[in-house]
Amino acid sequence: MLAAYAARFAPDDPISALEVGERPEPVAPEGWVTVDVKATALNHHDLWSLKGVGLSEDKLPMILGCDAAGFDADGNEVVVHAVISDPAWKGDETLDPRRSLLSERYQGTLAEKVVVPAQNVIAKPAGLSFEEAACLPTAWLTAYRMLFTQSGLKPGDTVLVQGAGGGVATALITLARTAGYRVWATSRDEAKRAKAVEIGAHDAFESGARLPDRVDAVMETVGQATWSHSLKSLRPGGTVVISGATSGQAPKSAELNRIFFLQMRIQGSTMGTRQELAGLLSFLANTGIKPHIDSVMPLKDAREGFARMNQGDVFGKVIFTV
């Protein structure tokens, strides 16, 4: 079957480690099911894997990808949940110390077929296309958990989304606006600031700019480049929810004095549960909002999509169709 996979690691040139070609079709072990993939989405996780982050060499070659929508063996339209927990684990699977994501221990979704535990398959709402549904299991689920599980926000509160443009950030903006928050966003790029307003932000500011007011919560996925601004923008007692650090994980200063003196809360957040994915699907079905798609291309052209993401020239999700 056709697949996009990591053949090696290349920290300085990740695209050179990507191969697009034939791989053996997966065989579902007991308790797992096969999904015929119709659409799959690209994430920063896939670029990091090509650099050798979160993926061990003994797992190569590894089919990349965490997101998929397609058909199960009975012909039902389904969405794949990418968090694989230990079979014995009970409760929130994101807290399972033995959990992994598809494309870490198990072959991923950038392929014609993928196998997953039976409980990791969720019915796709009829109102979402396969391309739209493929946006949800990583970026949109991460945003959903950040906003509705981890932030403590109430409708009417003000939230700042750092780094408008990426899949998680665009999801955060639209979900937050639909939920009744006042939404501000930042970007270095004027066009991305305009797009952020177009998809739901009440206002957008240049990265690092002083804001009109302090906010109740900051949604942080950028990390090192925006960390100081996130803390300075937060009201006393507010919350920074962080789910990634695409610009680096070592800010010049953690600003611990500011954090303890103003009693700020720093909340980590990783992916989401099956129940949260089901809630996200229902939220979109009930509100009619749609994921933001940057571009759609066939899986055979995956290298082009990876290059777009690596250059940072995206707004929304890059989708591959199968």
Side-chain angles (χ1 to χ4, degrees):
M1 65 174 184
L2 183 66
Y5 59 96
R8 64 195 70 86
F9 298 141
D12 299 323
D13 182 18
I15 309 303
S16 69
L18 176 69
E19 297 288 347
V20 182
E22 293 297 313
R23 295 296 302 152
E25 287 195 9
V27 177
E30 185 177 355
W32 290 47
V33 296
T34 301
V35 174
D36 289 314
V37 177
K38 296 297 292 181
T40 179
L42 185 59
N43 293 286
H44 276 99
H45 182 271
D46 303 310
L47 275 177
W48 288 111
S49 295
L50 292 170
K51 296 178 180 181
V53 178
L55 180 61
S56 59
E57 196 163 7
D58 64 301
K59 296 296 183 181
L60 297 178
M62 173 61 75
I63 298 173
L64 300 171
C66 302
D67 298 339
F71 293 102
D72 67 11
D74 297 321
N76 301 306
E77 297 184 354
V78 297
V79 180
V80 170
H81 181 235
V83 181
I84 311 296
S85 57
D86 187 276
W89 180 261
K90 305 297 182 185
D92 184 335
E93 57 266 36
T94 69
L95 299 177
D96 178 3
R98 299 182 65 183
R99 76 184 186 278
S100 68
L101 294 181
L102 288 172
S103 76
E104 291 179 348
R105 293 183 210 151
Y106 308 102
Q107 299 293 320
T109 58
L110 298 188
E112 294 177 349
K113 297 177 184 290
V114 64
V115 296
V116 295
Q119 68 266 25
N120 282 53
V121 171
I122 299 174
K124 179 181 80 65
L128 289 175
S129 69
F130 286 111
E131 291 83 358
E132 290 164 343
C135 298
L136 303 178
T138 299
W140 278 69
L141 178 58
T142 297
Y144 183 91
R145 182 177 176 89
M146 291 173 77
L147 280 171
F148 303 134
T149 302
Q150 307 287 36
S151 73
L153 287 166
K154 307 178 300 297
D157 284 349
T158 301
V159 58
L160 172 65
V161 178
Q162 293 281 24
V168 176
T170 55
L172 283 163
I173 291 167
T174 298
L175 289 171
R177 178 63 181 258
T178 306
Y181 306 142
R182 181 168 67 159
V183 185
W184 290 341
T186 68
S187 177
R188 295 173 296 176
D189 185 279
E190 183 178 355
K192 289 184 178 180
R193 294 197 296 273
K195 281 289 281 185
V197 172
E198 182 181 322
I199 66 171
H202 291 87
D203 209 343
F205 305 89
E206 190 167 356
S207 297
R210 185 181 180 89
L211 304 181
D213 297 299
R214 291 187 175 182
V215 303
D216 298 289
V218 179
M219 301 294 109
E220 177 62 84
T221 61
V222 180
Q224 185 172 309
T226 54
W227 184 251
S228 181
H229 182 253
S230 291
L231 295 180
K232 291 174 182 174
S233 301
L234 193 63
R235 68 163 172 81
T239 302
V240 175
V241 183
I242 181 167
S243 68
T246 56
S247 68
Q249 61 177 344
K252 292 181 179 178
S253 171
E255 302 192 43
L256 298 180
N257 287 348
R258 182 185 296 274
I259 292 170
F260 77 71
F261 186 73
L262 296 179
Q263 301 184 72
M264 296 171 171
R265 187 164 70 103
I266 311 301
Q267 175 66 56
S269 191
T270 297
M271 290 289 286
T273 66
R274 290 185 293 274
Q275 289 74 22
E276 285 167 332
L277 180 55
L280 169 63
L281 291 167
S282 295
F283 189 86
L284 266 63
N286 294 339
T287 61
I289 62 174
K290 302 283 189 178
H292 311 293
I293 295 176
D294 174 87
S295 51
V296 179
M297 59 192 73
L299 180 61
K300 67 181 178 63
D301 296 333
R303 186 175 296 275
E304 177 186 341
F306 273 81
R308 283 179 62 82
M309 174 170 279
N310 194 43
Q311 292 160 7
D313 186 27
V314 296
F315 194 94
K317 297 298 291 177
V318 175
I319 302 297
F320 302 128
T321 54
V322 182

